[in-house]
């Protein structure tokens, strides 16, 4: 039940930090989401949403890191002997 | 969907699986803590992709599964009172109490409503001033800030017809309990990513150091889980036991400060009983003094916790990662998602339900959904 879904912030409204909301697009389905726990969220950001609340702004640089890591692993695997190399 | 589909790429998954196979030299048992991860592992067949030396033990990470039966019974009792509206997350409706579930209470006429967000319960209370609205607040650290916000908003508005039946649990104490269990086999953890999104990583350093286990904060998609396994195995093979962050796109070391602040305002740490695991010190949240007016147990009487009578059901051992669902003699025979005997068969994130649903029809990694 800790499921959280990524969506893109379309717009923001409200000044009260506890009730500030954004309309968030989840691949075509748009919902109003509370942004109290993501005060830094801005239009265009991707947020991770759990039970109606954004709990994080997704870090786009970190999001790509796994693929860079994969390339590294790929190169090392080519040199790996039958027992494997310690990457 | 961006930030989801790219982490389900089958070719990349196989590369990670190869890297794991190249790294591993002897048997290791890892535990994924969160039920959402268990669900993904079984659904995408990630355990099948891994070398046979690696065992994934499924952890206690489903708040629905570990909510004590007495809380379910209390929720039913409250729901059946005159003038009450009981609001709950959908997963809780089918959890069996001592005598039936919330769904049955609803079909007997009790006003039980499924909410998506705890704030929906506050809206229902606002719209029904002559009724008592009770929100069944369950969850891990991931959900606690949202549930805290419901209490904050109700208090701000001075509501007298809103309260919460709180059965919140905390993850790190349960990890300690698993490690201290006499039957423990777990040598490394994939920590629950969204719990870490809220709480950060600081709580895990002492656990890694004391028990000598690597702990890798891990996400929920197939590539996340495979990379989490890879990082964990790499540590184990090198004799390291450190805290690492696989899920940095959503987890910062300090966690979500705004969420932590609200949790600290509304809740306090208390001992909790976990269904199937028994009493665990400092493993739960109850309402703090300033919010005790919103405590449903004050309004409707306290929950008295008895002992779990599980009979044939081995869900306690399943929750501790000691045994797997097919080890249970009732699995798929006397116990199915339609007629669950134990909680791990109820929630879609329970290990028994995931095995029942996906095993034998092993979905390929990279499959849709
Ligand atoms: S299959 Fe059913 S009876 Fe067996 S452990 Fe799982 S929940 Fe309990």
């Amino acid at each position: 039940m800790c499921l959280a879904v990524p969506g893109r912030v379309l717009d923001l409204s409200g000044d009260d930090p506890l009730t500030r909301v954004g309309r968030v697009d989840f691949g075509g389905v748009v919902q109003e989401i509370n942004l109290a726990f993501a005060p830094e969220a801005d239009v265009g950001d991707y947020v991770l949403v759990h039970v109606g609340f954004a709990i994080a702004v997704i870090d786009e640089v970190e999001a790509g890191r796994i693929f860079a890591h994969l390339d590294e692993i790929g190169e090392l695997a080519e040199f790996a002997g039958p027992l494997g190399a310690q990457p | 969907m961006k930030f989801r589909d790219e982490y389900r790429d089958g070719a990349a998954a196989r590369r990670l699986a190869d890297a794991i196979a190249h790294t591993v030299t002897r048997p290791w048992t890892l535990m994924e803590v969160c039920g959402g991860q268990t669900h993904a592992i079984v659904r995408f067949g990630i355990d099948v992709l891994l070398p046979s030396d690696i065992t994934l033990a499924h952890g206690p990470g489903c708040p629905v599964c570990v909510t004590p039966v007495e809380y379910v019974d209390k929720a039913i009792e409250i729901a059946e009172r005159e003038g009450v509206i009981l609001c709950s997350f959908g997963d809780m409706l089918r959890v069996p109490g001592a005598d039936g579930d919330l769904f049955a209470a609803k079909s007997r006429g009790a006003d039980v409503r499924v909410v998506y967000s705890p704030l929906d319960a506050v809206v229902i209370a606002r719209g029904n001033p002559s009724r008592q609205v009770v929100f069944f607040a369950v969850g891990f650290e991931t959900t606690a800030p949202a549930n805290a916000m419901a209490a904050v908003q109700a208090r701000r508005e001075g509501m007298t017809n809103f309260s919460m039946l709180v059965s919140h649990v905390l993850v790190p104490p349960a990890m300690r309990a698993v490690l201290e269990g006499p039957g423990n086999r777990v040598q490394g953890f994939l920590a629950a990513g969204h719990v870490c999104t809220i709480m950060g990583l600081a709580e895990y350093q002492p656990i890694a150091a004391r028990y000598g286990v690597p702990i890798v904060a891990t996400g929920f998609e197939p590539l996340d889980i495979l990379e989490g396994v890879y990082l964990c195995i790499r540590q184990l093979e090198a004799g390291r036991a450190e805290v690492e962050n696989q899920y940095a796109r959503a987890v910062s070391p300090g966690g979500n400060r705004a969420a932590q602040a609200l949790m600290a305002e509304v809740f306090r740490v208390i001992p909790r009983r976990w269904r199937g695991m028994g009493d665990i010190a400092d493993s739960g949240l109850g309402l703090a003094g300033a919010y005790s007016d919103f405590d449903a147990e004050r309004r409707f009487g306290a929950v008295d916790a008895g002992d779990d009578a599980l009979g044939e059901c081995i869900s306690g051992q399943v929750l501790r990662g000691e045994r797997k669902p097919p080890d249970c003699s009732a699995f798929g025979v006397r116990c199915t998602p339609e007629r669950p005997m134990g909680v791990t068969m109820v929630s879609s994130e329970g290990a028994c339900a995931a095995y029942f649903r996906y095993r034998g029809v092993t979905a390929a990694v990279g499959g849709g959904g």
Side-chain angles (χ1 to χ4, degrees), chain B residues 156-174:
Chain B
R156 265 192 172 190
E157 295 180 31
M159 282 184 175
T160 53
N161 69 325
F162 177 81
S163 60
M164 310 208 303
L165 180 63
V166 180
S167 180
H168 259 288
V169 279
L170 300 171
V171 166

Side-chain angles (χ1 to χ4, degrees), chain B residues 123-305:
Chain B
V123 171
I124 291 170
R126 203 180 286 137
N128 293 274
S130 62
R131 316 259 313 260
Q132 281 292 325
V133 175
V134 181
F135 174 59
F136 196 1
V138 300
F140 283 142
E141 291 90 330
T142 313
T143 315
N147 290 351
M149 185 67 87
V152 167
Q153 294 206 355
R155 186 163 178 251
R156 265 192 172 190
E157 295 180 31
M159 282 184 175
T160 53
N161 69 325
F162 177 81
S163 60
M164 310 208 303
L165 180 63
V166 180
S167 180
H168 259 288
V169 279
L170 300 171
V171 166
M175 291 166 66
R176 288 178 193 269
V178 165
L179 290 167
E180 294 195 352
N184 176 52
R185 309 176 290 149
V186 175
Q187 295 161 299
F189 281 105
L190 309 185
H194 293 145
V195 169
C196 300
T197 298
I198 302 295
M199 301 305 289
L201 302 174
E203 294 174 287
Y204 299 109
Q205 249 95 32
I207 300 176
R210 160 130 189 239
Y211 299 94
V213 291
I215 301 177
V216 181
T218 302
F220 296 81
E221 296 299 338
L223 294 193
D224 291 324
I225 293 167
L226 284 162
E227 193 185 30
V229 170
Y230 174 69
L231 294 174
C232 208
I233 292 295
R234 203 169 60 167
Q235 284 201 47
L236 285 166
E237 290 284 342
R240 289 185 290 127
E242 293 160 15
V243 177
E244 265 183 290
N245 188 3
Q246 182 279 325
Y247 199 36
R249 68 181 182 278
V251 173
S252 68
N256 185 324
R257 306 281 186 197
Q260 290 168 21
L262 212 75
M263 276 171 78
E265 183 188 328
V266 172
F267 294 120
R268 66 196 165 91
V269 175
I270 58 169
R272 275 259 178 241
R273 170 162 301 174
W274 294 50
R275 193 170 192 166
M277 292 184 72
D279 296 313
I280 305 178
D282 299 333
S283 70
L285 297 174
L287 289 165
Y291 288 86
S292 54
D293 285 350
F294 297 95
D295 188 346
E297 288 192 63
R298 281 207 166 189
R299 216 165 279 188
F300 301 98
V303 173
D304 39 45

Side-chain angles (χ1 to χ4, degrees), chain B residues 107-121:
Chain B
S107 46
R108 283 194 298 270
D111 196 345
V112 177
R113 302 193 193 176
V114 170
V115 292
Y116 158 68
S117 165
L119 294 183
D120 297 342

